[in-house]
Amino acid sequence: MKKLTLFIVSDSIGETADLVAKAAASQFRQELKTVSMKRFSHVEEESQLEEIVFLAKRQDAIIIYTLVKSDMRKKIKEECAINTIQCIDLMGPIVDKIGTVLNEEPLEEPGLVRQLDDDYFRKIEAIEFAVKYDDGRDPRGVLKADIVLVGISRTSKTPLSQYLAHKRYKVANVPLVPEVDPPEELYMIDPNKCFGLVISPGKLNSIRRERLLTLGLKDDASYAKVARIEDEISHFKKVVSKIGCTIIDVTNRAVEETANVILSEISNRYK
């Protein structure tokens, strides 16, 4: 079985090249056994490139690089040619093409994509918001949120809130339990920003039983019984009907899929 080593070389942290290389390698059945990766981050000196190419030659590796400085790209390409090492430039062709179209010279400053900007701070603010107003701990967040999620226990409200927060949306989520009246704030919001999450009783029964076992408890507690789950779903339907919000069935959906449904709904409403 042939083994392959990929050298990831970057003047920043190298995450982009690493992700592309992993995506490419995943297309081969034996990639976990045969493909290994080594990342070289913050490479800013030509002498470092010479050392990396030397190591690549000894290990018969392929070099994949994202270097924003044209002289560094030229240097590693020359070194690879001299040493008959295969190399792939992920950054250069794109930067050159954009520069040609814009008729502008690139800044050639590593790490610009990760500089702290307004977009970054909006994401952090949204993440903090999702944590603060998770699981109905403070109903005042319902009135401040961009998106409100409601649902019974174990319908992925928290992970969905965090995923949407990374998309820069302030999300509050509220659990619905038959024995507890939902906060009045739920009936005061625009129903267009509220989404009810529902799941099939059978699927939820399986999820809750697994959860109980993980906690070291018996899986026959009332919490996991189908009759209890059906009561909770019935209560859920009454509440969301009163709110007038959209209901999304998350039974066979990953968090990302549910998030895409919500974002698509929002986008269509405000076109």
Side-chain angles (χ1 to χ4, degrees):
M1 185 181 296
K2 184 174 177 59
K3 294 186 179 296
L4 172 64
T5 301
L6 301 178
F7 278 16
I8 310 300
V9 182
S10 175
D11 44 23
S12 186
I13 63 175
E15 181 179 31
T16 299
D18 190 69
L19 287 172
V20 172
K22 286 179 179 176
S26 69
Q27 295 299 309
F28 300 89
R29 296 178 183 176
Q30 300 298 323
E31 64 94 6
L32 291 178
K33 298 177 181 177
T34 62
V35 180
S36 60
M37 300 185 190
K38 295 183 180 180
R39 192 190 299 191
F40 299 84
S41 305
H42 304 291
V43 177
E44 298 180 3
E45 302 292 336
E46 291 189 359
S47 59
Q48 293 175 279
L49 296 178
E50 294 172 358
E51 294 174 6
I52 291 169
V53 172
F54 174 76
L55 290 173
K57 187 173 181 64
R58 293 186 61 181
Q59 298 183 32
D60 196 22
I62 295 175
I63 295 178
I64 301 173
Y65 59 96
T66 50
L67 300 167
V68 298
K69 294 182 179 180
S70 56
D71 58 343
M72 292 287 281
R73 294 200 299 271
K74 181 180 178 181
K75 175 65 175 178
I76 194 169
K77 189 174 181 179
E78 290 175 348
E79 288 294 322
C80 287
I82 293 170
N83 290 276
T84 61
I85 295 296
Q86 297 184 67
C87 62
I88 302 169
D89 181 3
L90 294 180
M91 184 72 70
I94 301 174
V95 171
D96 291 343
K97 181 64 71 176
I98 293 173
T100 299
V101 173
L102 297 179
N103 192 27
E104 182 179 338
E105 292 296 320
L107 296 173
E108 297 194 346
E109 295 179 21
L112 286 181
V113 72
R114 297 189 172 277
Q115 282 190 347
L116 304 187
D117 54 16
D118 291 341
D119 189 57
Y120 173 84
F121 287 113
R122 282 198 299 272
K123 181 168 74 171
I124 295 302
E125 184 180 5
I127 292 171
E128 291 175 344
F129 186 96
V131 172
K132 183 176 182 180
Y133 297 111
D134 180 47
D135 207 31
R137 64 183 61 174
D138 186 344
R140 292 175 298 180
V142 170
L143 300 177
K144 302 175 184 178
D146 300 318
I147 297 172
V148 177
L149 306 176
V150 295
I152 62 178
S153 174
R154 313 311 294 180
T155 50
S156 302
K157 296 185 299 298
T158 295
L160 183 55
S161 295
Q162 285 295 323
Y163 185 91
L164 290 168
H166 278 80
K167 300 293 184 181
R168 295 144 190 86
Y169 288 91
K170 294 180 179 178
V171 186
N173 74 75
V174 180
L176 298 180
V177 183
E179 294 79 13
V180 180
D181 291 333
E184 285 299 318
E185 287 85 352
L186 274 182
Y187 305 116
M188 299 165 60
I189 62 174
D190 179 355
N192 284 326
K193 74 175 185 179
C194 183
F195 295 87
L197 308 178
V198 71
I199 190 171
S200 72
K203 179 69 172 180
L204 188 54
N205 168 257
S206 176
I207 292 172
R208 287 189 175 182
R209 288 177 61 191
E210 190 65 33
R211 175 61 175 168
L212 289 170
L213 292 173
T214 301
L215 295 173
L217 303 173
K218 293 183 178 179
D219 65 353
D220 60 351
S222 172
Y223 172 74
K225 290 183 177 178
V226 173
R228 167 64 186 185
I229 290 171
E230 289 176 340
D231 286 343
E232 290 185 34
I233 292 177
S234 177
H235 173 69
F236 161 84
K237 289 180 177 179
K238 291 177 183 177
V239 173
V240 295
S241 176
K242 186 175 180 180
I243 297 171
C245 65
T246 299
I247 299 176
I248 301 174
D249 190 335
V250 301
T251 302
N252 295 310
R253 281 196 171 104
V255 168
E256 296 85 354
E257 293 177 290
T258 305
N260 286 337
V261 172
I262 291 173
L263 296 178
S264 178
E265 285 279 343
I266 293 173
S267 176
N268 291 334
R269 288 169 185 171
Y270 296 100
K271 278 185 177 179

